[in-house]
Amino acid sequence: MGIDTVNLGRIDLNLLVHLDALLAERSVMRAAARVGIGQSAMSHNLARLRELFGDELLTRGSDGMRLTPRAVTLREPVRTMLAQVEALVSRDQAFDPATAVRTFRFGLPDSMEVLIMPALLARMREVAPGIHLRLYNFDASRLFDELDADEVDLAIGYDTFQQGQFHHKRRKLFTETWLCMFNAEKTGIVPPISLDDYVRLPHVLTSLRPGRNVRGIVDDALEKLGLSRSVALTTPRFLTVPSLVARAPVIVTMQARLARLFAAELGLSLSPLPVELNEVTISLLWHASYDHDPAHIWLREMVTQLAADL
């Protein structure tokens, strides 16, 4: 079927840019600020959009503006189309990291911040001094919504990424094994740790999951053996764990690369686990809208390369 150029001529591309802002912000005032126009102009554009689509698009509710069902179906197609137009226009404009000025927003846990960001920052200062990296706390329950709302550009995290949709693009960075870390003097044991000591000693549990009764993969592995452990402390922050383990007679099960880094800095002991745990996959995630963005492609390749060097 051919393109209906007569009907396409009715559409002002800027209107779709404003529609994207309205759908993302759900507020005429915030959408106007986002695209740099006055609130009255955005209200006028909303009226034009309502006429164009034959739908209210945004309606008032007790909690503010709400998207109509039709508006919900428009969010992804509009955003994807605008990204493709932007890529088409900029494709002939070579991306030069040495002169580029741009901010990239990463959602990631502090464990990945420790492992990947020092090398990435050092590399950026060498080859792309105008690029600013902004890091956000990792919230697995909101991650896909944040990508869809264009609140983060990239995310780095764990197997939970398998829950995404077709437009959530994923690239495997590496797989990770596990080690047990502890202070040999405080615990009175030396590597390798036995299963009896592993169960006897209290654990520090790192978990990004909300809720009161948090379980880890260690608990599932021990349960298969008819065993259980005691957890002395649960934290979502990996960076506090080395200090906790260094000062108390406790143990922690941690990703191997991170454990080696912390153990070397604080003189802690490492041991293979006396239980079998599956490897965990660390992945890079982004929205399909940025698939063809030259700067985004360059950054993804940079992160992938640095992760391989780990």
Side-chain angles (χ1 to χ4, degrees), residues 195-245:
L195 180 58
D196 286 343
D197 285 334
Y198 189 75
V199 173
R200 175 181 60 83
L201 287 166
H203 289 238
V204 171
L205 170 61
T206 52
S207 177
L208 299 172
R209 300 173 184 173
R212 292 185 177 182
N213 300 316
V214 177
R215 286 172 58 89
I217 58 174
V218 169
D219 299 291
D220 297 332
L222 289 175
E223 188 176 55
K224 292 178 181 178
L225 301 175
L227 301 171
S228 63
R229 64 173 175 171
S230 64
V231 175
L233 183 146
T234 302
T235 176
R237 290 173 289 275
F238 293 84
L239 289 181
T240 64
V241 171
S243 298
L244 296 169
V245 172

Side-chain angles (χ1 to χ4, degrees), residues 74 120 125 139 147 220 279 307:
L74 289 172
L120 181 59
R125 301 322 298 167
D139 185 347
L147 285 166
D220 297 332
E279 292 183 343

Side-chain angles (χ1 to χ4, degrees), residues 66-78:
R66 298 176 180 175
L67 301 186
T68 66
R70 170 73 165 141
V72 171
T73 65
L74 289 172
R75 284 185 61 180
E76 288 305 321
V78 168

